[in-house]
Coordinates of all heavy atoms in Angstrom, one line a residue:
M1 N -134.5 -75.8 -105.0 CA -135.8 -75.4 -104.9 C -136.7 -76.5 -105.6 O -136.3 -76.9 -106.7 CB -136.1 -74.0 -105.6 CG -137.5 -73.6 -105.6 SD -137.9 -72.0 -106.3 CE -137.6 -72.3 -108.0
I2 N -137.8 -76.8 -105.0 CA -138.8 -77.7 -105.6 C -140.1 -76.9 -105.7 O -140.6 -76.4 -104.7 CB -139.0 -78.9 -104.7 CG1 -137.7 -79.7 -104.5 CG2 -140.1 -79.8 -105.3 CD1 -137.8 -80.8 -103.5
K3 N -140.7 -76.9 -106.9 CA -142.0 -76.3 -107.1 C -143.0 -77.4 -107.4 O -142.8 -78.1 -108.4 CB -141.9 -75.3 -108.2 CG -143.2 -74.5 -108.4 CD -143.1 -73.4 -109.5 CE -144.4 -72.6 -109.6 NZ -144.2 -71.5 -110.6
V4 N -144.0 -77.5 -106.6 CA -145.0 -78.6 -106.7 C -146.3 -78.0 -107.2 O -146.8 -77.1 -106.5 CB -145.2 -79.3 -105.3 CG1 -146.2 -80.3 -105.4 CG2 -143.9 -79.8 -104.8
T5 N -146.7 -78.5 -108.3 CA -147.9 -77.9 -108.9 C -149.0 -79.0 -109.1 O -150.1 -78.8 -109.6 CB -147.7 -77.3 -110.3 OG1 -147.1 -78.3 -111.1 CG2 -146.8 -76.1 -110.1
S6 N -148.7 -80.3 -108.6 CA -149.6 -81.4 -108.7 C -149.4 -82.3 -107.6 O -148.3 -82.4 -107.0 CB -149.5 -82.1 -110.1 OG -148.3 -82.8 -110.1
L7 N -150.4 -83.2 -107.3 CA -150.2 -84.2 -106.2 C -149.1 -85.2 -106.5 O -148.4 -85.6 -105.7 CB -151.5 -84.9 -106.0 CG -152.7 -84.1 -105.4 CD1 -154.0 -84.9 -105.3 CD2 -152.3 -83.5 -104.1
Q8 N -148.9 -85.5 -107.8 CA -147.9 -86.4 -108.2 C -146.5 -85.9 -107.9 O -145.6 -86.6 -107.6 CB -148.0 -86.8 -109.7 CG -149.2 -87.5 -110.1 CD -150.5 -86.7 -110.1 OE1 -150.4 -85.4 -110.3 NE2 -151.6 -87.3 -110.0
E9 N -146.3 -84.6 -108.0 CA -145.0 -83.9 -107.8 C -144.6 -83.9 -106.3 O -143.5 -83.6 -106.0 CB -145.0 -82.5 -108.4 CG -145.0 -82.5 -109.9 CD -145.1 -81.1 -110.4 OE1 -145.4 -80.1 -109.7 OE2 -144.9 -80.9 -111.6
M10 N -145.6 -84.2 -105.4 CA -145.3 -84.2 -104.0 C -144.2 -85.2 -103.6 O -143.5 -85.1 -102.7 CB -146.5 -84.6 -103.2 CG -147.7 -83.7 -103.4 SD -147.6 -82.4 -102.2 CE -149.0 -81.4 -102.8
N11 N -144.0 -86.3 -104.5 CA -143.0 -87.3 -104.2 C -141.6 -86.8 -104.2 O -140.7 -87.4 -103.8 CB -143.2 -88.5 -105.2 CG -144.5 -89.2 -105.0 OD1 -145.1 -89.2 -103.9 ND2 -145.1 -89.7 -106.1
H12 N -141.4 -85.6 -104.8 CA -140.1 -85.0 -104.9 C -139.6 -84.4 -103.6 O -138.5 -84.1 -103.4 CB -140.0 -84.0 -106.0 CG -140.3 -84.5 -107.4 ND1 -139.5 -85.4 -108.0 CD2 -141.3 -84.3 -108.2 CE1 -140.0 -85.8 -109.2 NE2 -141.1 -85.1 -109.3
I13 N -140.6 -84.2 -102.7 CA -140.2 -83.6 -101.4 C -139.7 -84.8 -100.5 O -140.4 -85.7 -100.2 CB -141.5 -83.0 -100.7 CG1 -142.0 -81.9 -101.6 CG2 -141.1 -82.4 -99.3 CD1 -143.3 -81.3 -101.2
E14 N -138.4 -84.7 -100.1 CA -137.8 -85.8 -99.4 C -138.2 -85.9 -97.9 O -138.4 -86.9 -97.4 CB -136.3 -85.6 -99.5 CG -135.8 -85.9 -100.9 CD -134.3 -85.7 -100.9 OE1 -133.6 -85.7 -99.9 OE2 -133.8 -85.6 -102.1
K15 N -138.5 -84.7 -97.3 CA -138.8 -84.7 -95.9 C -140.3 -85.2 -95.7 O -141.2 -84.5 -96.1 CB -138.7 -83.3 -95.3 CG -138.9 -83.2 -93.8 CD -137.7 -83.6 -93.1 CE -138.0 -83.5 -91.6 NZ -137.4 -84.5 -90.8
G16 N -140.4 -86.4 -95.1 CA -141.8 -87.0 -95.1 C -142.8 -86.2 -94.4 O -144.0 -86.1 -94.8
S17 N -142.5 -85.6 -93.2 CA -143.5 -84.8 -92.5 C -143.9 -83.6 -93.3 O -145.1 -83.2 -93.3 CB -142.9 -84.4 -91.1 OG -141.7 -83.6 -91.3
L18 N -143.0 -83.0 -94.0 CA -143.4 -81.8 -94.8 C -144.2 -82.3 -96.0 O -145.2 -81.6 -96.4 CB -142.1 -81.1 -95.3 CG -142.4 -79.8 -96.2 CD1 -143.2 -78.8 -95.4 CD2 -141.1 -79.2 -96.7
Q19 N -143.8 -83.4 -96.7 CA -144.6 -83.9 -97.8 C -146.0 -84.2 -97.4 O -147.0 -83.8 -98.0 CB -144.0 -85.2 -98.3 CG -144.6 -85.7 -99.5 CD -144.1 -87.0 -100.0 OE1 -144.8 -88.0 -100.1 NE2 -142.8 -87.1 -100.3
M20 N -146.2 -84.8 -96.2 CA -147.6 -85.1 -95.7 C -148.4 -83.9 -95.4 O -149.5 -83.8 -95.7 CB -147.5 -86.0 -94.5 CG -148.8 -86.5 -94.0 SD -149.7 -87.4 -95.4 CE -149.6 -89.0 -94.8
H21 N -147.7 -82.9 -94.8 CA -148.4 -81.6 -94.4 C -148.9 -80.9 -95.7 O -150.0 -80.5 -95.8 CB -147.4 -80.7 -93.7 CG -147.9 -79.3 -93.5 ND1 -148.8 -79.0 -92.5 CD2 -147.6 -78.2 -94.2 CE1 -149.0 -77.7 -92.6 NE2 -148.3 -77.2 -93.6
I22 N -148.0 -80.8 -96.7 CA -148.4 -80.2 -97.9 C -149.4 -80.9 -98.7 O -150.4 -80.4 -99.2 CB -147.1 -79.9 -98.8 CG1 -146.2 -78.9 -98.2 CG2 -147.5 -79.4 -100.2 CD1 -144.9 -78.7 -98.9
R23 N -149.3 -82.3 -98.7 CA -150.3 -83.1 -99.4 C -151.7 -82.9 -98.8 O -152.7 -82.7 -99.5 CB -150.0 -84.6 -99.3 CG -150.9 -85.5 -100.1 CD -150.5 -86.9 -100.0 NE -149.2 -87.1 -100.6 CZ -149.0 -87.3 -101.9 NH1 -150.0 -87.2 -102.8 NH2 -147.8 -87.5 -102.4
E24 N -151.8 -82.9 -97.4 CA -153.1 -82.7 -96.8 C -153.6 -81.3 -97.0 O -154.8 -81.1 -97.3 CB -152.9 -82.9 -95.3 CG -152.7 -84.4 -94.9 CD -152.3 -84.6 -93.4 OE1 -152.2 -83.6 -92.7 OE2 -152.2 -85.7 -93.0
K25 N -152.8 -80.3 -97.0 CA -153.2 -78.9 -97.3 C -153.7 -78.8 -98.7 O -154.7 -78.2 -99.0 CB -152.0 -78.0 -97.0 CG -152.3 -76.6 -97.0 CD -151.2 -75.7 -96.5 CE -151.5 -74.3 -96.5 NZ -150.5 -73.5 -96.0
A26 N -153.0 -79.4 -99.7 CA -153.4 -79.3 -101.1 C -154.7 -80.0 -101.3 O -155.6 -79.5 -102.0 CB -152.3 -80.0 -102.0
E27 N -154.9 -81.2 -100.8 CA -156.1 -81.9 -100.9 C -157.3 -81.1 -100.4 O -158.4 -81.1 -100.9 CB -156.0 -83.3 -100.3 CG -155.1 -84.2 -101.1 CD -154.8 -85.6 -100.5 OE1 -155.2 -85.7 -99.3 OE2 -154.3 -86.4 -101.2
A28 N -157.1 -80.5 -99.2 CA -158.2 -79.7 -98.6 C -158.5 -78.5 -99.5 O -159.7 -78.2 -99.6 CB -157.7 -79.3 -97.2
M29 N -157.5 -77.9 -100.0 CA -157.7 -76.7 -100.9 C -158.5 -77.1 -102.1 O -159.4 -76.4 -102.6 CB -156.4 -76.0 -101.2 CG -155.8 -75.3 -100.1 SD -154.1 -74.7 -100.5 CE -154.5 -73.5 -101.8
M30 N -158.1 -78.2 -102.7 CA -158.7 -78.7 -104.0 C -160.2 -79.0 -103.7 O -161.0 -78.7 -104.5 CB -158.0 -79.9 -104.5 CG -156.6 -79.6 -105.1 SD -155.6 -81.0 -105.5 CE -156.6 -81.8 -106.8
Q31 N -160.5 -79.6 -102.6 CA -161.8 -79.9 -102.2 C -162.6 -78.6 -102.0 O -163.8 -78.5 -102.4 CB -161.9 -80.8 -101.0 CG -163.3 -81.3 -100.6 CD -163.2 -82.3 -99.5 OE1 -162.3 -82.4 -98.7 NE2 -164.3 -83.0 -99.4
E32 N -162.0 -77.7 -101.2 CA -162.7 -76.4 -100.9 C -163.0 -75.7 -102.2 O -164.1 -75.1 -102.3 CB -161.8 -75.6 -100.0 CG -162.4 -74.2 -99.7 CD -161.5 -73.4 -98.8 OE1 -160.4 -73.9 -98.3 OE2 -161.8 -72.2 -98.7
Y33 N -162.1 -75.6 -103.1 CA -162.3 -74.8 -104.3 C -162.9 -75.6 -105.5 O -163.1 -75.1 -106.6 CB -161.0 -74.1 -104.8 CG -160.6 -73.1 -103.8 CD1 -159.5 -73.3 -102.9 CD2 -161.2 -71.8 -103.8 CE1 -159.1 -72.3 -102.0 CE2 -160.8 -70.8 -102.9 CZ -159.7 -71.1 -102.0 OH -159.3 -70.1 -101.1
Q34 N -163.2 -76.9 -105.2 CA -163.8 -77.8 -106.2 C -163.1 -77.9 -107.5 O -163.7 -77.6 -108.5 CB -165.3 -77.5 -106.3 CG -166.0 -77.6 -105.0 CD -167.5 -77.2 -105.2 OE1 -168.0 -76.9 -106.2 NE2 -168.2 -77.3 -104.1
V35 N -161.7 -78.1 -107.4 CA -160.9 -78.2 -108.6 C -160.3 -79.6 -108.7 O -160.0 -80.2 -107.7 CB -159.8 -77.1 -108.7 CG1 -160.5 -75.7 -108.9 CG2 -158.9 -77.2 -107.6
E36 N -160.0 -80.1 -109.9 CA -159.4 -81.4 -110.1 C -157.9 -81.2 -110.1 O -157.1 -82.2 -109.9 CB -159.9 -82.0 -111.4 CG -161.3 -82.3 -111.4 CD -161.7 -83.5 -110.6 OE1 -160.9 -84.4 -110.5 OE2 -162.7 -83.5 -109.9
N37 N -157.4 -80.0 -110.5 CA -156.0 -79.8 -110.8 C -155.5 -78.8 -109.8 O -156.0 -77.7 -109.7 CB -155.7 -79.4 -112.2 CG -154.3 -79.2 -112.6 OD1 -153.4 -79.3 -111.7 ND2 -154.0 -79.0 -113.8
M38 N -154.5 -79.1 -109.0 CA -154.0 -78.2 -108.0 C -153.4 -76.9 -108.6 O -153.5 -75.9 -108.0 CB -152.9 -78.9 -107.2 CG -152.4 -78.2 -105.9 SD -151.2 -79.1 -105.0 CE -149.7 -78.6 -105.9
D39 N -152.9 -77.0 -109.8 CA -152.3 -75.9 -110.5 C -153.3 -74.8 -110.7 O -153.0 -73.6 -111.0 CB -151.6 -76.3 -111.7 CG -150.6 -75.2 -112.2 OD1 -150.0 -74.5 -111.4 OD2 -150.5 -75.0 -113.5
D40 N -154.6 -75.1 -110.6 CA -155.7 -74.1 -110.8 C -155.8 -73.1 -109.7 O -156.3 -72.0 -109.8 CB -157.0 -74.8 -111.0 CG -157.2 -75.6 -112.3 OD1 -156.4 -75.3 -113.2 OD2 -158.0 -76.5 -112.3
I41 N -155.2 -73.5 -108.5 CA -155.4 -72.6 -107.3 C -154.1 -72.1 -106.8 O -154.0 -71.2 -106.0 CB -156.2 -73.3 -106.2 CG1 -155.6 -74.7 -105.9 CG2 -157.7 -73.4 -106.6 CD1 -156.3 -75.4 -104.7
G42 N -153.0 -72.8 -107.1 CA -151.7 -72.4 -106.5 C -150.6 -73.5 -106.6 O -150.8 -74.5 -107.2
C43 N -149.5 -73.2 -105.9 CA -148.4 -74.1 -105.9 C -147.7 -74.1 -104.6 O -147.9 -73.1 -103.8 CB -147.4 -73.9 -107.1 SG -146.5 -72.3 -106.9
F44 N -146.8 -75.0 -104.3 CA -146.0 -75.1 -103.1 C -144.6 -75.1 -103.5 O -144.2 -75.8 -104.4 CB -146.4 -76.4 -102.3 CG -147.8 -76.4 -101.9 CD1 -148.8 -76.9 -102.6 CD2 -148.1 -75.9 -100.6 CE1 -150.1 -77.0 -102.2 CE2 -149.4 -75.9 -100.2 CZ -150.4 -76.5 -101.0
I45 N -143.8 -74.2 -102.9 CA -142.4 -74.1 -103.2 C -141.6 -74.5 -101.9 O -141.8 -73.9 -100.9 CB -142.0 -72.7 -103.7 CG1 -142.8 -72.4 -105.0 CG2 -140.5 -72.5 -103.9 CD1 -142.7 -70.9 -105.4
V46 N -140.7 -75.4 -102.1 CA -139.8 -75.8 -100.9 C -138.4 -75.4 -101.3 O -137.8 -75.8 -102.3 CB -139.9 -77.3 -100.7 CG1 -139.0 -77.7 -99.5 CG2 -141.3 -77.8 -100.5
L47 N -137.9 -74.5 -100.5 CA -136.5 -74.0 -100.7 C -135.5 -74.8 -99.9 O -135.8 -75.4 -99.0 CB -136.4 -72.5 -100.3 CG -137.4 -71.5 -101.0 CD1 -137.3 -70.1 -100.4 CD2 -137.0 -71.5 -102.5
E48 N -134.2 -74.7 -100.3 CA -133.1 -75.2 -99.5 C -132.7 -74.1 -98.6 O -132.9 -72.9 -98.8 CB -132.0 -75.5 -100.5 CG -132.3 -76.6 -101.5 CD -132.6 -78.0 -100.8 OE1 -132.0 -78.3 -99.8 OE2 -133.4 -78.7 -101.4
P49 N -132.0 -74.5 -97.5 CA -131.6 -73.5 -96.5 C -130.8 -72.3 -97.0 O -131.0 -71.2 -96.6 CB -130.8 -74.3 -95.5 CG -131.3 -75.7 -95.6 CD -131.7 -75.9 -97.0
E50 N -129.9 -72.7 -98.0 CA -129.1 -71.6 -98.6 C -129.8 -70.7 -99.5 O -129.3 -69.7 -100.0 CB -127.9 -72.2 -99.3 CG -128.2 -73.1 -100.4 CD -128.4 -74.6 -100.0 OE1 -128.5 -74.9 -98.8 OE2 -128.6 -75.4 -100.9
E51 N -131.1 -70.9 -99.8 CA -131.9 -70.1 -100.7 C -132.7 -69.0 -99.9 O -133.7 -68.6 -100.3 CB -132.9 -71.0 -101.5 CG -132.2 -71.9 -102.5 CD -133.1 -72.7 -103.3 OE1 -133.8 -73.6 -102.6 OE2 -133.2 -72.5 -104.5
F52 N -132.2 -68.6 -98.7 CA -132.9 -67.7 -97.9 C -133.2 -66.4 -98.6 O -134.3 -65.8 -98.4 CB -132.0 -67.4 -96.6 CG -132.7 -66.4 -95.7 CD1 -133.7 -66.9 -94.8 CD2 -132.4 -65.1 -95.6 CE1 -134.4 -66.1 -93.9 CE2 -133.1 -64.2 -94.7 CZ -134.1 -64.7 -93.9
T53 N -132.4 -65.9 -99.5 CA -132.6 -64.7 -100.2 C -133.8 -64.8 -101.1 O -134.3 -63.8 -101.6 CB -131.4 -64.2 -100.9 OG1 -130.9 -65.3 -101.8 CG2 -130.2 -63.9 -100.0
D54 N -134.2 -66.1 -101.5 CA -135.3 -66.3 -102.4 C -136.6 -66.3 -101.6 O -137.7 -66.6 -102.2 CB -135.2 -67.6 -103.1 CG -134.0 -67.6 -104.0 OD1 -133.6 -66.5 -104.5 OD2 -133.4 -68.7 -104.3
F55 N -136.6 -66.1 -100.3 CA -137.8 -66.0 -99.5 C -138.2 -64.5 -99.3 O -137.7 -63.9 -98.3 CB -137.6 -66.7 -98.1 CG -138.8 -67.0 -97.3 CD1 -139.5 -68.2 -97.5 CD2 -139.4 -66.0 -96.5 CE1 -140.7 -68.4 -96.7 CE2 -140.5 -66.2 -95.8 CZ -141.2 -67.4 -95.9
P56 N -139.0 -64.0 -100.1 CA -139.3 -62.5 -100.1 C -140.3 -62.2 -99.0 O -141.5 -62.1 -99.3 CB -139.8 -62.2 -101.5 CG -140.5 -63.5 -101.9 CD -139.7 -64.6 -101.2
I57 N -139.8 -62.0 -97.8 CA -140.7 -61.8 -96.6 C -141.6 -60.6 -96.9 O -142.8 -60.7 -96.5 CB -139.9 -61.6 -95.4 CG1 -139.2 -62.9 -95.0 CG2 -140.7 -61.1 -94.2 CD1 -138.2 -62.8 -93.8
G58 N -141.2 -59.5 -97.5 CA -142.0 -58.4 -97.7 C -143.2 -58.6 -98.7 O -144.2 -57.9 -98.7
E59 N -143.1 -59.7 -99.5 CA -144.1 -60.0 -100.5 C -145.1 -61.0 -99.9 O -146.1 -61.4 -100.6 CB -143.5 -60.6 -101.7 CG -142.6 -59.6 -102.5 CD -141.9 -60.2 -103.7 OE1 -142.4 -61.3 -104.1 OE2 -140.9 -59.7 -104.1
M60 N -144.9 -61.5 -98.7 CA -145.8 -62.6 -98.1 C -147.1 -62.0 -97.5 O -147.0 -60.9 -96.9 CB -145.1 -63.3 -97.0 CG -143.8 -64.1 -97.5 SD -144.2 -65.5 -98.6 CE -143.2 -65.0 -100.0
E61 N -148.2 -62.7 -97.7 CA -149.4 -62.4 -97.1 C -149.3 -62.5 -95.5 O -149.8 -61.7 -94.8 CB -150.5 -63.3 -97.6 CG -151.9 -63.0 -97.1 CD -152.5 -61.8 -97.7 OE1 -152.0 -61.3 -98.7 OE2 -153.6 -61.3 -97.2
F62 N -148.6 -63.6 -95.1 CA -148.2 -63.8 -93.7 C -147.0 -64.7 -93.7 O -146.7 -65.4 -94.7 CB -149.3 -64.4 -92.9 CG -149.6 -65.8 -93.2 CD1 -149.0 -66.8 -92.5 CD2 -150.5 -66.2 -94.2 CE1 -149.2 -68.1 -92.7 CE2 -150.7 -67.5 -94.5 CZ -150.1 -68.5 -93.7
V63 N -146.3 -64.7 -92.6 CA -145.1 -65.6 -92.4 C -145.3 -66.2 -91.0 O -145.7 -65.5 -90.0 CB -143.8 -64.8 -92.5 CG1 -142.6 -65.7 -92.2 CG2 -143.6 -64.2 -93.9
E64 N -145.0 -67.5 -90.9 CA -145.1 -68.2 -89.6 C -143.9 -69.2 -89.5 O -143.3 -69.5 -90.5 CB -146.4 -68.9 -89.5 CG -146.5 -70.1 -90.4 CD -147.8 -70.9 -90.3 OE1 -148.5 -70.7 -89.4 OE2 -148.0 -71.8 -91.2
I65 N -143.6 -69.5 -88.3 CA -142.7 -70.6 -88.0 C -143.5 -71.9 -87.9 O -144.5 -72.0 -87.1 CB -141.9 -70.4 -86.7 CG1 -141.1 -69.1 -86.8 CG2 -141.0 -71.6 -86.4 CD1 -140.0 -69.1 -87.8
L66 N -143.2 -72.9 -88.7 CA -144.0 -74.2 -88.7 C -143.1 -75.3 -88.2 O -142.0 -75.5 -88.7 CB -144.4 -74.5 -90.2 CG -145.1 -75.8 -90.5 CD1 -146.5 -75.8 -89.8 CD2 -145.2 -76.0 -92.0
F67 N -143.5 -75.9 -87.1 CA -142.8 -77.1 -86.5 C -143.5 -78.4 -87.0 O -144.6 -78.6 -86.8 CB -142.9 -77.0 -85.0 CG -142.1 -75.8 -84.5 CD1 -142.8 -74.6 -84.2 CD2 -140.7 -75.9 -84.2 CE1 -142.1 -73.5 -83.7 CE2 -140.1 -74.8 -83.7 CZ -140.7 -73.6 -83.4
L68 N -142.7 -79.2 -87.7 CA -143.1 -80.5 -88.1 C -142.1 -81.6 -87.6 O -141.0 -81.6 -88.0 CB -143.2 -80.6 -89.6 CG -144.3 -79.7 -90.3 CD1 -144.1 -79.8 -91.8 CD2 -145.7 -80.1 -89.9
E69 N -142.6 -82.4 -86.6 CA -141.7 -83.4 -86.0 C -140.5 -82.7 -85.5 O -140.6 -81.8 -84.7 CB -141.4 -84.5 -87.0 CG -142.6 -85.4 -87.3 CD -142.3 -86.5 -88.2 OE1 -141.1 -86.7 -88.7 OE2 -143.2 -87.3 -88.5
E70 N -139.3 -83.1 -86.0 CA -138.0 -82.5 -85.5 C -137.6 -81.3 -86.3 O -136.5 -80.8 -86.1 CB -136.9 -83.6 -85.5 CG -137.3 -84.9 -84.7 CD -136.9 -84.9 -83.3 OE1 -135.8 -84.3 -83.0 OE2 -137.6 -85.5 -82.5
S71 N -138.4 -80.9 -87.3 CA -138.0 -79.9 -88.2 C -138.7 -78.6 -88.0 O -139.8 -78.6 -87.5 CB -138.2 -80.3 -89.7 OG -137.5 -81.5 -89.9
M72 N -138.1 -77.5 -88.4 CA -138.7 -76.2 -88.3 C -138.6 -75.5 -89.7 O -137.5 -75.6 -90.3 CB -137.9 -75.3 -87.3 CG -138.6 -74.0 -87.0 SD -137.9 -73.2 -85.5 CE -136.3 -72.7 -86.1
F73 N -139.7 -74.9 -90.1 CA -139.7 -74.2 -91.4 C -140.2 -72.8 -91.3 O -141.1 -72.5 -90.4 CB -140.6 -74.9 -92.4 CG -140.2 -76.3 -92.7 CD1 -140.6 -77.4 -91.9 CD2 -139.4 -76.6 -93.8 CE1 -140.2 -78.7 -92.2 CE2 -138.9 -77.9 -94.1 CZ -139.3 -78.9 -93.3
L74 N -139.7 -71.9 -92.1 CA -140.3 -70.5 -92.2 C -141.3 -70.7 -93.3 O -141.0 -71.2 -94.4 CB -139.2 -69.5 -92.6 CG -139.5 -68.1 -92.5 CD1 -140.0 -67.7 -91.1 CD2 -138.3 -67.2 -92.8
H75 N -142.6 -70.5 -93.1 CA -143.6 -70.7 -94.0 C -144.3 -69.4 -94.3 O -144.7 -68.6 -93.4 CB -144.6 -71.7 -93.5 CG -145.9 -71.8 -94.3 ND1 -147.1 -71.6 -93.7 CD2 -146.1 -72.0 -95.6 CE1 -148.1 -71.7 -94.6 NE2 -147.5 -71.9 -95.8
G76 N -144.5 -69.1 -95.6 CA -145.2 -67.8 -96.0 C -146.1 -68.1 -97.2 O -145.9 -69.1 -97.9
V77 N -147.1 -67.3 -97.3 CA -148.0 -67.4 -98.5 C -147.9 -66.1 -99.3 O -148.1 -65.0 -98.7 CB -149.4 -67.7 -98.0 CG1 -150.4 -67.6 -99.2 CG2 -149.5 -69.0 -97.3
R78 N -147.7 -66.2 -100.5 CA -147.6 -65.0 -101.4 C -148.8 -65.1 -102.4 O -149.0 -66.1 -103.0 CB -146.3 -65.0 -102.2 CG -146.3 -63.9 -103.2 CD -144.9 -63.7 -103.8 NE -144.2 -64.9 -104.2 CZ -143.0 -64.9 -104.6 NH1 -142.2 -63.9 -104.6 NH2 -142.5 -66.1 -105.0
I79 N -149.7 -64.1 -102.4 CA -150.8 -64.1 -103.2 C -150.4 -63.5 -104.6 O -149.9 -62.4 -104.7 CB -152.0 -63.2 -102.6 CG1 -152.3 -63.7 -101.2 CG2 -153.2 -63.2 -103.5 CD1 -152.8 -65.2 -101.1
I80 N -150.6 -64.3 -105.6 CA -150.2 -63.9 -107.0 C -151.4 -63.1 -107.6 O -151.2 -62.0 -108.2 CB -149.8 -65.1 -107.9 CG1 -148.7 -65.9 -107.2 CG2 -149.4 -64.6 -109.3 CD1 -147.4 -65.2 -106.9
D81 N -152.6 -63.6 -107.6 CA -153.8 -62.9 -108.0 C -154.9 -63.4 -107.1 O -154.7 -64.2 -106.2 CB -154.1 -63.0 -109.5 CG -154.4 -64.4 -110.0 OD1 -155.1 -65.1 -109.2 OD2 -154.0 -64.7 -111.1
E82 N -156.2 -63.0 -107.4 CA -157.3 -63.3 -106.5 C -157.6 -64.8 -106.4 O -158.3 -65.2 -105.5 CB -158.5 -62.4 -106.8 CG -159.3 -62.9 -107.9 CD -160.5 -61.9 -108.1 OE1 -160.4 -60.7 -108.0 OE2 -161.6 -62.4 -108.4
S83 N -157.1 -65.6 -107.3 CA -157.4 -67.0 -107.3 C -156.2 -67.9 -107.3 O -156.3 -69.1 -107.6 CB -158.4 -67.4 -108.4 OG -157.8 -67.2 -109.7
Y84 N -155.0 -67.3 -107.1 CA -153.8 -68.1 -107.2 C -152.8 -67.6 -106.1 O -152.6 -66.4 -106.0 CB -153.2 -68.0 -108.6 CG -152.1 -69.0 -108.8 CD1 -152.4 -70.3 -109.4 CD2 -150.8 -68.8 -108.6 CE1 -151.4 -71.2 -109.6 CE2 -149.8 -69.7 -108.8 CZ -150.1 -70.9 -109.4 OH -149.1 -71.9 -109.6
G85 N -152.2 -68.6 -105.4 CA -151.2 -68.2 -104.4 C -150.0 -69.2 -104.4 O -150.1 -70.3 -104.9
E86 N -149.0 -68.9 -103.7 CA -147.8 -69.7 -103.5 C -147.5 -69.9 -102.1 O -147.4 -68.9 -101.3 CB -146.5 -69.1 -104.2 CG -146.6 -69.0 -105.7 CD -145.3 -68.3 -106.2 OE1 -144.6 -67.6 -105.5 OE2 -145.0 -68.5 -107.4
D87 N -147.5 -71.1 -101.6 CA -147.0 -71.5 -100.3 C -145.5 -71.7 -100.4 O -145.1 -72.5 -101.2 CB -147.7 -72.7 -99.7 CG -149.0 -72.4 -99.0 OD1 -149.9 -71.8 -99.6 OD2 -149.1 -72.9 -97.9
I88 N -144.7 -71.0 -99.6 CA -143.3 -71.2 -99.6 C -142.8 -71.7 -98.3 O -143.2 -71.1 -97.2 CB -142.6 -69.8 -100.0 CG1 -143.1 -69.3 -101.4 CG2 -141.1 -70.0 -100.0 CD1 -142.7 -68.0 -101.8
Y89 N -141.9 -72.7 -98.3 CA -141.3 -73.3 -97.1 C -139.8 -73.2 -97.2 O -139.2 -73.7 -98.2 CB -141.8 -74.8 -97.0 CG -143.3 -74.9 -96.9 CD1 -144.1 -75.0 -98.0 CD2 -143.8 -75.0 -95.6 CE1 -145.5 -75.1 -97.8 CE2 -145.2 -75.2 -95.4 CZ -146.0 -75.2 -96.6 OH -147.4 -75.4 -96.4
L90 N -139.2 -72.7 -96.2 CA -137.8 -72.6 -96.1 C -137.3 -73.3 -94.8 O -137.7 -72.9 -93.7 CB -137.3 -71.1 -96.0 CG -135.8 -70.9 -95.8 CD1 -135.1 -71.2 -97.1 CD2 -135.6 -69.4 -95.4
P91 N -136.5 -74.4 -94.9 CA -136.1 -75.1 -93.7 C -135.2 -74.1 -92.9 O -134.4 -73.4 -93.4 CB -135.3 -76.2 -94.3 CG -135.6 -76.3 -95.7 CD -136.0 -75.0 -96.1
V92 N -135.4 -74.2 -91.6 CA -134.6 -73.4 -90.7 C -133.8 -74.3 -89.8 O -134.4 -75.2 -89.1 CB -135.5 -72.4 -89.8 CG1 -134.7 -71.6 -88.8 CG2 -136.4 -71.5 -90.7
A93 N -132.5 -74.1 -89.7 CA -131.7 -75.0 -88.8 C -132.0 -74.6 -87.3 O -132.1 -73.4 -87.0 CB -130.2 -74.8 -89.1
V94 N -132.1 -75.6 -86.5 CA -132.3 -75.4 -85.1 C -131.0 -75.4 -84.4 O -130.2 -76.4 -84.6 CB -133.2 -76.5 -84.5 CG1 -133.4 -76.3 -83.0 CG2 -134.6 -76.5 -85.2
V95 N -130.6 -74.4 -83.8 CA -129.3 -74.2 -83.1 C -129.5 -74.5 -81.6 O -130.4 -73.9 -81.0 CB -128.7 -72.8 -83.3 CG1 -127.4 -72.7 -82.6 CG2 -128.6 -72.5 -84.8
T96 N -128.8 -75.5 -81.1 CA -128.9 -75.8 -79.7 C -127.6 -75.4 -79.0 O -126.5 -75.6 -79.6 CB -129.2 -77.2 -79.4 OG1 -128.2 -78.0 -80.1 CG2 -130.6 -77.6 -80.0
C97 N -127.6 -74.9 -77.8 CA -126.4 -74.5 -77.1 C -126.0 -75.5 -76.1 O -126.7 -76.2 -75.6 CB -126.7 -73.1 -76.4 SG -127.1 -71.8 -77.5

């Protein structure tokens, strides 16, 4: 699990397309809420595939399938309080027959 609470921590996300997606989303949120520190509004959590049980679907505001390049992620947002939320990304293996 990687928990990203600042733009500098984005470098820990190995998957380039996911890193870019989260960076763009974080920068847009920071501009929208006019904050200097991303931790003031929320964080991004990237899980490993085997951490499926750590993805609490029932606690999510919404869940979607996110396609980035050749990768697929289960993406959900959990609202912690009225000004703070967590974006959670779980890589999903694509099975081809």
Side-chain angles (χ1 to χ4, degrees):
M1 176 176 73
I2 299 170
K3 184 173 182 178
V4 178
T5 59
S6 70
L7 293 177
Q8 294 76 20
E9 292 175 347
M10 300 273 176
N11 297 330
H12 299 294
I13 301 172
E14 293 179 16
K15 184 79 180 146
S17 59
L18 181 60
Q19 184 184 122
M20 186 57 111
H21 171 79
I22 292 175
R23 182 178 300 279
E24 289 172 358
K25 191 171 183 179
E27 289 171 349
M29 288 173 63
M30 289 170 65
Q31 185 175 19
E32 178 183 349
Y33 292 101
Q34 300 177 1
V35 295
E36 297 287 324
N37 185 351
M38 192 178 85
D39 196 36
D40 292 336
I41 54 174
C43 67
F44 296 88
I45 298 171
V46 181
L47 299 173
E48 297 295 330
E50 60 272 7
E51 293 179 296
F52 183 77
T53 56
D54 295 335
F55 192 94
I57 292 175
E59 297 176 20
M60 297 293 123
E61 184 76 12
F62 74 90
V63 176
E64 67 178 351
I65 300 292
L66 177 65
F67 293 94
L68 295 173
E69 292 181 357
E70 308 266 329
S71 301
M72 187 168 75
F73 298 88
L74 194 57
H75 168 234
V77 174
R78 178 170 42 192
I79 304 302
I80 305 301
D81 66 34
E82 81 180 38
S83 62
Y84 193 88
E86 295 178 337
D87 271 55
I88 301 175
Y89 296 86
L90 176 73
V92 178
V94 178
V95 179
T96 56
C97 298

